[in-house]
Amino acid sequence: MAAREAEGLALEPVEEELVQYVRAGEELDLTRGHGSVAEAAMRQWAESRTVRAWVIRDLLRGWLVDRPDPRGVRLLGGRIEGLLDLKHLTSDIPLNLSACYLPDGIDGDFASLAGLRLSLCVVDEGISLLGAHIGGQLILDKGTVLRNASGPALYADDVRVDQMMVLRGKFAGSDADGVVRLSGGHIGSQLNASGATLTNEERGPALYADGLRVDQGLYLRGFVASGASGDAAVRLVGADIGGQLDLSRAKLTNEASGPALAADGLRVTRGLYLRGFTAIGSGELGAVRLPGAHIGGQLDATDAWLTNTSGAALHADSLHVDENLLLRGAFVAVGSGELGAVRLPGAHIGGQLDAAGAVLSNTSGPALIADALQVGQHLFLRRGFAAIGAGELGAVRLPNAHIGGQLAVDPSAIKDPGLNPDTLMVDGLEYAGLPAKVTVDEWLDVLKHQTTKYTPQPYRQLAAATQAAGWDRETRKILIAQRRDQLGTTAITDRTERAWAKLTGVVLGYGYQPWRALLFLLGVVAVAIALTLGLGSHGGLAHPRGSASPGSACTTVEQIGVALDLSLPLIKTGARDACNTTTTTAGDIITISGWTLQLAAWALATLFIAGFTSAVRKT
């Protein structure tokens, strides 16, 4: 104190009073129980409510009170004159300011403080805590307003907070580095910013927290962030959250060309909650970015609304969710372009993916891109699910996806506004059992009329499921449909092969119904019988020389016997010894026709054997 007096810095009465209150461990209430603490009133406070910033600093240093009470410096309703310079300061007592006005802000870079709390305060030039260490709590409570016209409202890169951090006020800035910066910070307990409002009034993100570590939960419920940056409104790239990350009912908007939320490589131990969440972004990077993120629990985006008019709504390539991914309820994703509305290629979902009730829309590309998706349990794309996509890539893409449980999809809910029927891509899709709530015939119709191109695997996948269920007839139906649908495309270009395939399709059911050849063989026999009965009675057949009545007409039984000899390979009735063709025109017709019928019979018998032994089956 003597040093300050030597500098001509004697304490004012209100400052003397504050020293006494600090010594006693009590809060100095300059409102005296009355008077407005609204911002407009704060700006009119006179000297009786003013404490110079150096007094606060010296109290924290222990210069003005020999043995300050551990409750620290507590001031209500004061005006802090000058920059509160705490830079590199080390203090064992906390600072608690309530309903105070700080027109020149706080500089606490590299400070080591026991605790810092602001409640209902107004700070015009922001707070800087770069590299600071807060041994207790850092609380910027509800009602606090932080502004900075030329930089971040809160600049706290690499800050360390041993206990809880609370950001519940209103923060406004206009800097490319962001309104609130916590990049590289470490919070020993939880970080609660529920209800906070962050606004970047000119350019840059609202929250920049790349590499942030929070040992417990990060709570952003009802959080509002408005940015104007290609870097995203809220950045959590590479952040590590030891508990849960809760963005329920939060609203993030980015008016520039960039995401609303960028969380590439995010790590969350106990679940990510986006219930009732709203994200409005723009650009090819996506409105919500989660590529490479790892969610230790479930990701619940029930009733979320994601919008991007120039890119993906949800960009989550290689996302890893240990439990369930829930995109259900009134979940809406509106995207644009070939990157899709919702992107999940290479994602791994340990539990189920439930999109019941979700609406995915993209008028210039796919609604859902999930190539090589891995789902440990069930995939639900029905019960109100709707996907509207456009283009040759299809509306819903599931190529090479693996579903460990049941596939439940409503094909009628997948549409192309341009009336393109090819809306579904399922080549390589694997799932357990049969598709739920869809008959085999309905799924075959989907594979024929709704898939983007013919491939054999979807048919084989379905056939394997029916065979495992013991449905042999359905299995044959599927395999026949596969070959038929293949011939309906340009998959087979060789004319000879196509002709052979069509022939075996008619005669053998592509090798899966060899009994058809027997029906055709019976047809040959019937033709032979009709021929011998018709022409035999007109002189085409007669008893030969050496018989009991040479030259006489054959009986009906004998004529049928001749027909069987002419039409059945390897089977001879001996009827031609007693009844044979004559040299008449009718007899010649029977002889020549017999050669043709014998050839047809041998061909049909051969095809039957080939079909029975599966020799002609081809996928």
Side-chain angles (χ1 to χ4, degrees):
M1 183 61 192
R4 292 295 188 185
E5 290 177 345
E7 296 174 6
L9 298 174
L11 296 179
E12 299 295 337
V14 68
E15 296 167 344
E16 289 279 9
E17 190 176 10
L18 177 60
V19 170
Q20 298 304 318
Y21 272 76
V22 171
R23 182 177 288 112
E26 297 177 356
E27 180 181 63
L28 174 58
D29 182 1
L30 295 180
T31 68
R32 311 302 181 184
H34 62 275
S36 173
V37 293
E39 182 177 345
M42 287 182 179
R43 297 182 182 279
Q44 303 301 319
W45 285 345
E47 293 183 0
S48 62
R49 304 279 286 272
T50 300
V51 176
R52 289 168 291 179
W54 66 262
V55 175
I56 304 293
R57 176 182 174 88
D58 284 358
L59 281 169
L60 293 173
R61 297 172 71 186
W63 282 17
L64 300 181
V65 178
D66 292 335
R67 300 174 64 181
D69 189 278
R71 294 185 181 88
V73 179
R74 296 192 293 164
L75 176 62
L76 170 62
R79 181 181 187 276
I80 310 302
E81 183 181 276
L83 173 66
L84 181 50
D85 184 3
L86 307 178
K87 200 167 186 176
H88 296 285
L89 182 144
T90 298
S91 177
D92 295 330
I93 60 173
L95 172 61
N96 188 334
L97 302 177
S98 300
C100 288
Y101 176 43
L102 294 89
D104 298 308
I106 301 175
D107 184 354
D109 292 354
F110 308 107
S112 180
L113 307 176
L116 175 61
R117 176 171 185 149
L118 274 68
S119 178
L120 296 170
C121 293
V122 175
V123 184
D124 280 345
E125 296 297 326
I127 297 176
S128 183
L129 294 171
L130 176 64
H133 175 209
I134 310 299
Q137 298 179 341
L138 173 58
I139 298 179
L140 304 179
D141 216 344
K142 187 175 180 180
T144 293
V145 177
L146 268 64
R147 299 190 186 91
N148 192 344
S150 58
L154 175 61
Y155 192 1
D157 285 6
D158 300 316
V159 69
R160 277 195 305 133
V161 180
D162 291 351
Q163 297 181 21
M164 180 169 60
M165 181 174 184
V166 175
L167 303 175
R168 285 183 174 161
K170 294 183 178 180
F171 305 80
S174 57
D175 190 86
D177 290 333
V179 175
V180 172
R181 288 190 57 95
L182 298 171
S183 182
H186 182 192
I187 313 302
S189 180
Q190 64 177 256
L191 195 166
N192 193 334
S194 297
T197 300
L198 279 61
T199 305
N200 197 316
E201 298 173 340
E202 187 172 335
R203 64 191 188 280
L207 173 62
Y208 196 112
D210 289 10
L212 173 68
R213 289 174 54 202
V214 180
D215 289 354
Q216 296 181 19
L218 172 54
Y219 300 97
L220 303 173
R221 292 186 289 258
F223 177 85
V224 177
S226 176
S229 170
D231 285 337
V234 172
R235 289 185 58 90
L236 291 169
V237 175
D240 189 340
I241 312 302
Q244 61 180 238
L245 172 55
D246 193 347
L247 278 151
S248 297
R249 301 182 307 283
K251 182 175 182 180
L252 315 183
T253 59
N254 189 349
E255 297 179 358
S257 180
L261 171 64
D264 307 41
L266 172 71
R267 295 291 182 269
V268 180
T269 301
R270 295 182 55 196
L272 170 57
Y273 297 92
L274 303 174
R275 301 186 188 115
F277 170 77
T278 300
I280 302 172
S282 59
E284 293 185 354
L285 294 178
V288 173
R289 290 186 54 82
L290 292 170
H294 186 174
I295 311 303
Q298 68 178 1
L299 196 167
D300 187 352
T302 300
D303 299 331
W305 186 294
L306 317 180
T307 304
N308 185 351
T309 58
S310 54
L314 174 60
H315 193 302
D317 297 29
S318 301
L319 170 69
H320 190 117
V321 180
D322 287 354
E323 296 180 9
N324 301 326
L325 173 56
L326 306 178
L327 307 177
R328 60 191 180 187
F331 178 87
V332 174
V334 179
S336 178
E338 293 186 355
L339 292 179
V342 172
R343 291 185 53 85
L344 292 170
H348 183 279
I349 313 301
Q352 64 184 20
L353 196 168
D354 189 351
V359 176
L360 317 181
S361 177
N362 183 355
T363 58
S364 56
L368 172 62
I369 295 180
D371 302 39
L373 170 70
Q374 303 289 310
V375 179
Q377 297 179 17
H378 310 306
L379 172 61
F380 296 108
L381 301 178
R382 56 180 305 114
R383 298 200 312 273
F385 171 82
I388 301 170
E392 297 180 354
L393 295 176
V396 171
R397 294 182 53 85
L398 294 167
N400 300 314
H402 177 82
I403 312 302
Q406 191 177 61
L407 172 66
V409 58
D410 181 3
S412 66
I414 302 171
K415 300 177 180 179
D416 185 325
L419 302 180
N420 177 14
D422 301 329
T423 58
L424 191 59
M425 177 63 171
V426 292
D427 182 23
L429 171 65
E430 298 177 348
Y431 47 88
L434 293 161
K437 306 296 182 181
V438 179
T439 68
V440 168
D441 289 337
E442 288 172 338
W443 193 248
L444 287 175
D445 186 69
V446 169
L447 297 182
K448 181 177 182 179
H449 297 112
Q450 208 166 332
T451 52
T452 56
K453 64 177 181 178
Y454 164 81
T455 55
Q457 187 276 337
Y459 296 86
R460 290 289 169 171
Q461 168 71 37
L462 184 62
T466 54
Q467 188 172 33
W471 299 355
D472 293 338
R473 182 179 179 182
E474 297 294 328
T475 301
R476 288 192 295 271
K477 179 195 294 186
I478 295 165
L479 296 175
I480 291 172
Q482 176 216 327
R483 187 65 163 155
R484 183 182 63 243
D485 293 349
Q486 180 188 36
L487 291 171
T489 68
T490 58
I492 301 177
T493 57
D494 184 79
R495 292 183 179 180
T496 302
E497 184 179 355
R498 289 182 68 86
W500 172 251
K502 289 181 178 180
L503 173 64
T504 58
V506 172
V507 177
L508 298 172
Y510 306 107
Y512 299 104
Q513 294 176 331
W515 50 264
R516 289 190 183 188
L518 296 180
L519 293 180
F520 278 98
L521 183 57
L522 290 176
V524 170
V525 172
V527 170
I529 292 174
L531 183 70
T532 56
L533 290 177
L535 295 178
S537 60
H538 289 81
L541 293 174
H543 292 118
R545 294 178 182 178
S547 63
S549 54
S552 63
C554 298
T555 67
T556 300
V557 173
E558 289 172 335
Q559 291 174 358
I560 292 175
V562 171
L564 294 177
D565 286 347
L566 293 175
S567 59
L568 290 177
L570 301 179
I571 296 178
K572 298 302 177 183
T573 66
R576 297 185 70 177
D577 293 337
C579 178
N580 209 339
T581 57
T582 64
T583 57
T584 65
T585 301
D588 291 342
I589 292 174
I590 293 174
T591 300
I592 296 172
S593 298
W595 298 338
T596 304
L597 292 172
Q598 279 281 333
L599 181 62
W602 274 103
L604 288 169
T606 303
L607 285 173
F608 170 75
I609 295 171
F612 190 78
T613 58
S614 304
V616 298
R617 296 184 184 180
K618 189 173 183 180
T619 60

